[in-house]
Amino acid sequence: MLKRDKLFIGGLWVAPQGKDAIEVHNAGTGAVMGTVPAGTERDIDAAVAAASAALPAWSATPAEKRAEYLQKISDGLKARAEELAKTIAQEVGMPIKLAGRIQAGLPIANFGNYAKIARDFKYEDRVGNSIVVKDPVGVVGAITPWNYPLHQIALKVAPALAAGCTVVLKPSEIAPFNAFILAEVMEAAGLPKGVFNLVTGFGPVVGEALVRHPKVDMISFTGSTRAGKRISELAAQQVKRVALELGGKSASVILEDADLAAAVKGTVNGCYLNSGQTCTALTRMLVPASKYEEAAKLAVEAAKAFTPGDPLSESTRLGPLSSQMQLDRVRDYIRKGVAEGAELLTGGADTPEGLAGGYFVKPTIFGRVKNSMTIAQEEIFGPVLSIIPFKDEAEAVAIANDSPYGLAGAVWSKDDARAQSVARRIRAGQIDVNGGAFNMNAPFGGFKQSGHGREAGVYGLEEFLELKSLQLRG
Ligand code: NAD
């Protein structure tokens, strides 16, 4: 049992002001794996006061020095990579091998990358008779989800610190233990007191207290569109800057000249990564009507490689979902798909054999899905793929764009120029062309209800800056 009963505020581990604790469940077994404090508004007040007090000195610290701290944090995380992977594999359910590469590997890489970006960035420009100064926005409230918990924290905290901001982090109550390891790493790196603060708790309590706090200059949020809307409403009362990374319902468009086997395999992999609990998951596979039967067969075949199993086993490719709530939600969507008339090609809402206890669901594929169906419009956040036939390229683009979301997508064609031209017509933030690899320096974020603002690389740093122009006399 992991027991965390302190919060990290002003460089110290302090007792929370309330008495309640939150139970955290092991996704693979359903058992309680530990507890963390259920913070209160008073804990947020203390953390924001610490972050405000630390702001003048931190924002005046030379970028080179800030970069040194970021590199130390990256090194500190690296030294604890195994522990991080194991913790997150249990909190979230991602298979351990992948958790090591992605859940621990990406934050290590991002803190290191921001050390470099902080060093190389030009914090001033000259435009005619003006100097354009890029100031840190101030105290940042970071609110993060559970699916890639430390990665999403790193994509906010690393660039915010690089920009000269101070931070109060409110991580997900479902996967909070990794954030405590980060706080210990920050402490060991000797980060000045109050530059980074950690308060755990429930969204409507500590999350909202952070958003409402008048001394918080910006909220950077990743999570559901529902919570993003609520945060926007609250922040609007103070005209507070908000960056939102929200949900998605991304289309993988397979054109008739594509290598069908590679495209279907790539799409199934992109849908099932982290048991479908990935905001950029390719959950709608758009295939030419003439190739539908072949594509459906290939997809069902590809799904067979994803037998659900223990996330701590080295050979598992599909772990459980993260919580009972997720499990209930995903099963409801599968039932709704059947009820609305989609063809269930594989999987379904029953518990996979021999896996009672954890939050396991079968990898599921629906065929002949209409884009107007609930399973094609709403984010499911589980291993559920919808195959949607189209008659021509124009219809494929129209279906891809017929979504309240616009986070990601994929296009497949033998002709790279054609694939690019289709990718340019899809209204979404990141589109993989013929299986192009993830690029940690490319901007990440959404169109439409997938949010606004961009994370990663230099674009992620710019989110935390205010521009100020000084007009000089001639
Ligand atoms: P969630 O919105 O329920 O919770 C996210 C965080 O917000 C948690 O820390 C939670 O405590 C907090 N929160 C909840 N209600 C709040 C409120 N009223 N005020 C302030 N804070 C509040 O989302 P989740 O279930 O943790 O994460 C899954 C969602 O996140 C999915 O919709 C997924 O698509 C999205 N997501 C988006 C991206 C992206 O970059 N676009 C990345 C990962 C996840």
Side-chain angles (χ1 to χ4, degrees):
M1 277 283 277
L2 297 167
K3 185 171 179 196
R4 296 285 192 170
D5 55 5
K6 301 262 186 333
L7 302 170
F8 189 65
I9 295 177
L12 301 170
W13 289 98
V14 300
Q17 305 205 22
K19 285 196 171 49
D20 295 343
I22 300 176
E23 287 186 340
V24 180
H25 294 259
N26 179 324
T29 64
V32 175
M33 65 182 278
T35 57
V36 298
T40 60
E41 186 163 358
R42 285 186 298 152
D43 297 311
I44 288 291
D45 286 345
V48 174
S52 298
L55 184 64
W58 181 250
S59 57
T61 300
E64 177 64 35
K65 185 78 190 154
R66 295 202 294 260
E68 276 174 29
Y69 284 113
L70 290 168
Q71 188 56 52
K72 269 196 205 161
I73 295 164
S74 170
D75 296 343
L77 291 174
K78 198 168 179 186
R80 297 181 70 174
E82 236 176 85
E83 181 190 355
L84 279 168
K86 205 168 161 202
T87 305
I88 300 174
Q90 294 175 82
E91 291 174 313
V92 178
M94 183 185 262
I96 185 80
K97 229 161 128 182
L98 269 179
R101 268 211 335 259
I102 299 177
Q103 303 278 15
L106 281 179
I108 294 166
N110 270 307
F111 271 99
N113 196 34
Y114 275 109
K116 185 174 173 329
I117 291 172
R119 264 187 210 110
D120 298 345
F121 192 74
K122 268 177 69 195
Y123 293 84
E124 279 189 23
D125 285 334
R126 191 72 201 246
V127 180
N129 68 321
S130 303
I131 299 173
V132 179
V133 180
K134 299 172 190 178
D135 271 351
V137 67
V139 173
V140 171
I143 304 178
T144 53
W146 47 262
N147 56 336
Y148 291 84
L150 192 58
H151 172 58
Q152 282 135 356
I153 290 171
L155 279 184
K156 300 182 187 317
V157 175
L161 298 188
C165 298
T166 57
V167 177
V168 176
L169 169 66
K170 202 303 273 175
S172 164
E173 60 278 24
I174 292 164
F177 287 116
N178 58 86
F180 285 85
I181 298 177
L182 174 67
E184 285 173 355
V185 164
M186 300 260 186
E187 187 185 19
L191 194 71
K193 293 183 188 339
V195 171
F196 170 81
N197 306 274
L198 169 67
V199 178
T200 47
F202 291 112
V205 182
V206 282
E208 293 197 10
L210 191 56
V211 178
R212 279 196 313 265
H213 202 294
K215 289 224 162 106
V216 172
D217 298 288
M218 171 176 171
I219 292 291
S220 177
F221 172 76
T222 299
S224 61
T225 299
R226 172 198 54 77
K229 286 178 184 168
R230 171 75 181 143
I231 285 170
S232 300
E233 280 168 15
L234 291 175
Q237 301 309 312
Q238 293 163 26
V239 198
K240 186 171 295 190
R241 195 197 284 199
V242 175
L244 300 174
E245 301 286 351
L246 309 175
K249 193 72 203 177
S250 301
S252 176
V253 178
I254 304 179
L255 298 170
E256 78 286 349
D257 63 348
D259 174 342
L260 193 62
V264 170
K265 196 166 168 217
T267 305
V268 171
N269 289 346
C271 179
Y272 288 172
L273 177 68
N274 204 19
S275 301
Q277 304 169 115
T278 302
C279 48
T280 54
L282 300 172
T283 49
R284 293 184 296 151
M285 185 166 91
L286 277 45
V287 300
S290 60
K291 304 244 166 151
Y292 170 78
E293 296 295 343
E294 202 185 340
K297 224 167 112 197
L298 287 166
V300 170
E301 202 48 46
K304 287 193 184 137
F306 289 85
T307 333
D310 176 5
L312 293 181
S313 155
E314 288 280 335
S315 60
T316 296
R317 281 193 67 191
L318 191 77
L321 299 176
S322 66
S323 65
Q324 184 64 48
M325 204 174 80
Q326 269 303 111
L327 182 60
D328 296 343
R329 234 177 76 110
V330 171
R331 283 191 176 146
D332 277 353
Y333 274 116
I334 296 174
R335 288 187 197 108
K336 211 172 269 176
V338 173
E340 289 186 5
E343 262 176 46
L344 183 64
L345 300 179
T346 187
D350 325 327
T351 306
E353 273 156 42
L355 286 172
Y359 310 124
F360 292 96
V361 69
K362 290 180 179 168
T364 296
I365 299 180
F366 281 108
R368 299 200 187 282
V369 175
K370 294 198 176 66
N371 200 53
S372 54
M373 290 178 179
T374 308
I375 53 168
Q377 285 294 314
E378 296 184 13
E379 187 180 49
I380 298 176
F381 238 46
V384 183
L385 178 70
S386 292
I387 310 180
I388 306 174
F390 64 81
K391 65 174 190 306
D392 56 23
E393 189 181 293
E395 192 185 43
V397 172
I399 295 172
N401 286 331
D402 178 15
S403 169
Y405 294 111
L407 187 58
V411 183
W412 308 81
S413 161
K414 275 233 155 58
D415 176 353
D416 278 313
R418 183 179 175 204
Q420 265 193 48
S421 130
V422 170
R424 285 174 196 277
R425 282 180 278 155
I426 297 178
R427 287 173 46 76
Q430 43 272 310
I431 300 168
D432 299 343
V433 179
N434 284 321
F438 174 73
N439 176 357
M440 70 187 290
N441 281 304
F444 184 97
F447 284 41
K448 300 189 267 181
Q449 290 194 29
S450 291
H452 46 72
R454 290 295 180 268
E455 295 193 318
V458 81
Y459 309 93
L461 174 67
E462 285 168 347
E463 286 287 317
F464 295 103
L465 297 169
E466 284 281 13
L467 301 181
K468 177 163 70 191
S469 51
L470 311 179
Q471 280 63 249
L472 310 182
R473 61 185 176 179

